[in-house]
Amino acid sequence: MKRHLPAVLVAGWGVLNGLLLVVLAVYRENSMTYWLWGGAVLVVELAALAVLVSSRAGTDQHVRYRVRDRGAGGVLPAAIGLLLVALCPVYGLWLLVVAVPLLMLSVALAVHGSTARER
């Protein structure tokens, strides 16, 4: 499964967007919505397939770089927390209940490190 993960990811993304297109059909949207959504999905799916094919063709060019990762695990919680803080004016201050713990978690991961190699 790990070997074919990129292909599964591209196919899964296409299937998910197909399901979302079906949801639009259930709600009986305008036909222009179907064309725009389907066209955008088709263009991005074709681009993803092109990248997938090109990455399979040139496997000799893959290089692994060693990057210092101290606190790198805090990036995703920080990004989600900041996104929720930015959405507070639109959806209400109740989002701070979720955003503040995420931001505290990201600070803790940045200070203490997040991987076993760091210890």
Side-chain angles (χ1 to χ4, degrees):
M1 179 71 172
K2 190 174 184 179
R3 183 176 173 178
H4 302 291
L5 188 61
V8 171
L9 180 70
V10 171
W13 186 85
V15 168
L16 177 66
N17 275 296
L19 289 173
L20 292 174
L21 193 60
V22 170
V23 169
L24 286 175
V26 168
Y27 285 109
R28 296 189 174 133
E29 288 290 328
N30 188 354
S31 65
M32 182 60 76
T33 306
Y34 303 136
W35 284 104
L36 288 174
W37 185 280
V41 168
L42 180 67
V43 167
V44 174
E45 189 72 21
L46 289 175
L49 285 172
V51 169
L52 181 64
V53 168
S54 70
S55 72
R56 300 264 184 196
T59 57
D60 57 332
Q61 296 179 7
H62 292 278
V63 178
R64 293 193 180 265
Y65 296 100
R66 298 189 78 183
V67 179
R68 297 182 66 202
D69 60 351
R70 176 155 175 80
V75 172
L76 183 62
I80 295 171
L82 290 174
L83 174 69
L84 292 175
V85 168
L87 290 175
C88 278
V90 177
Y91 293 106
L93 294 178
W94 66 272
L95 284 175
L96 288 176
V97 173
V98 180
V100 170
L102 281 172
L103 291 173
M104 290 189 325
L105 174 68
S106 67
V107 168
L109 288 173
V111 170
H112 296 294
S114 58
T115 63
R117 262 190 302 163
E118 296 170 4
R119 295 181 185 130

